[in-house]
Amino acid sequence: MSRTATYHTTVRRKGEHRGRLEMGNGPEMDFSAPPDARGHAGVLTPEDAFVAAANTCVMLMFIWSAERFK
């Protein structure tokens, strides 16, 4: 029998192009639009999160395959 993983997040607006992200597995962080889109520097942006998701997936798949195939 296969299992389906379920993930959830909650976002809340903090004002001034800022928000708070709460992830289902515990981490929380502030996010913003990028500075060139009237956002704030020094916090996660949706663009950063998108690129980071792809990069971390590739890295973890590389580690998984290296361990599996030695």
Side-chain angles (χ1 to χ4, degrees):
M1 176 187 247
S2 66
R3 292 184 1 198
T4 301
T6 303
Y7 303 93
H8 70 275
T9 60
T10 302
V11 295
R12 299 188 196 321
R13 183 169 186 248
K14 293 177 71 175
E16 299 180 1
H17 299 273
R18 287 185 184 264
R20 182 81 176 163
L21 170 64
E22 300 171 7
M23 291 166 271
N25 64 342
E28 297 182 18
M29 64 185 65
D30 289 338
F31 67 93
S32 173
D36 60 352
R38 299 169 61 189
H40 302 275
V43 294
L44 181 72
T45 69
E47 294 81 0
D48 293 328
F50 179 76
V51 173
N55 285 336
T56 56
C57 185
V58 168
M59 185 192 86
L60 293 172
M61 289 305 298
F62 176 81
I63 292 169
W64 173 84
S65 62
E67 289 174 347
R68 181 166 183 205
F69 299 112
K70 300 193 188 327

